[in-house]
Amino acid sequence: GAVVSQHPSWVICKSGTSVKIECRSLDFQATTMFWYRQFPKQSLMLMATSNEGSKATYEQGVEKDKFLINHASLTLSTLTVTSAHPEDSSFYICSAGQGVYEQFFGPGTRLTVL
Amino acid sequence: AQSVTQLGSHVSVSEGALVLLRCNYSSSVPPYLFWYVQYPNQGLQLLLKYTTGATLVKGINGFEAEFKKSETSFHLTKPSAHMSDAAEYFCANSGSARQLTFGSGTQLTVLP
């Protein structure tokens, strides 16, 4: 149980284009999902907290107009990187909350912007 | 506010030797502590967690951790390292709203 999937697992795009990453909780309903960014050899940085049916809460320094988050259902949250640039290249990981304090992580999406 | 400090960004052990990865935390509320493992280009897998109750927590793959409030520590141990244990390990602390605060990670290398 408690499986979280991400799609795609990797994506390469041209600078200036937009990329959408999906995060799904496959066998449970998640009222809260989280989006993280991880640079090589570094820890996870929380970008935003997404609650079903409401606007996402972004961490300080994260551009909400660049990283659009939608949590339209209890099993799906999406992150759209708009007008991507090479500096947006990173590993993006989502997690879904179950219970009070536990999170289950997706396998991550490797984004490369050329 | 929560914070997590992992001592040692790189740890090397010989196969069969004891694994000890250190984690210290600070928390303004009773902590909920986690250890995750990450293999290259993959997400995080939960090894074990401490919420309440028994302070010695056993997890998967033979790992365990002990919550020591007096030392504000939650060190991860495994009696005998295996080559497959080579990975990145993250300690995390959860406060309110389920938000996790991660340590900087420890890369474990297992030498044959």
Side-chain angles (χ1 to χ4, degrees), chain A residues 62-106:
Chain A
V62 178
E63 299 175 59
K64 60 181 65 176
D65 293 332
K66 181 167 190 61
F67 299 100
L68 301 179
I69 291 172
N70 182 278
H71 193 164
S73 77
L74 289 172
T75 60
L76 173 65
S77 177
T78 60
L79 167 67
T80 301
V81 183
T82 62
S83 187
H85 291 283
E87 57 265 30
D88 299 323
S89 298
S90 189
F91 194 53
Y92 292 87
I93 302 175
C94 74
S95 70
Q98 185 182 52
V100 180
Y101 291 103
E102 193 153 359
Q103 294 182 28
F104 296 93
F105 287 81

Side-chain angles (χ1 to χ4, degrees), chain A residues 4-11 13 17-24 33-39 45-51 56-59 62-73 75-84 88-95 108-113:
Chain A
V4 176
S5 70
Q6 278 185 246
H7 179 80
S9 56
W10 60 270
V11 58
C13 70
T17 61
S18 295
V19 174
K20 180 185 286 188
I21 302 170
E22 293 186 348
C23 176
R24 295 181 184 271
M33 289 185 171
F34 303 86
W35 286 95
Y36 297 86
R37 184 173 181 176
Q38 185 180 32
F39 290 105
M45 180 191 78
L46 179 65
M47 298 175 66
T49 302
S50 166
N51 291 296
T57 301
Y58 290 81
E59 294 300 300
V62 178
E63 299 175 59
K64 60 181 65 176
D65 293 332
K66 181 167 190 61
F67 299 100
L68 301 179
I69 291 172
N70 182 278
H71 193 164
S73 77
T75 60
L76 173 65
S77 177
T78 60
L79 167 67
T80 301
V81 183
T82 62
S83 187
D88 299 323
S89 298
S90 189
F91 194 53
Y92 292 87
I93 302 175
C94 74
S95 70
T109 297
R110 173 75 58 193
L111 171 63
T112 301
V113 184

Side-chain angles (χ1 to χ4, degrees), chain A residues 31-32 34 36 38 42-44 46 49 59 91 93 97-103 105-108 110, chain B residues 32 34 36 38 41-44 46 49 51 88 90 94-100 102-105 107:
Chain A
T31 55
T32 305
F34 303 86
Y36 297 86
Q38 185 180 32
Q42 294 189 26
S43 188
L44 279 72
L46 179 65
T49 302
E59 294 300 300
F91 194 53
I93 302 175
Q98 185 182 52
V100 180
Y101 291 103
E102 193 153 359
Q103 294 182 28
F105 287 81
R110 173 75 58 193
Chain B
Y32 289 73
F34 305 80
Y36 291 90
Q38 184 180 34
N41 294 310
Q42 295 186 27
L44 274 66
L46 180 67
K49 63 182 178 184
T51 52
E88 186 86 18
F90 292 98
S94 177
S96 61
R98 292 204 192 106
Q99 289 191 351
L100 284 172
F102 286 91
S104 55
Q107 179 67 48

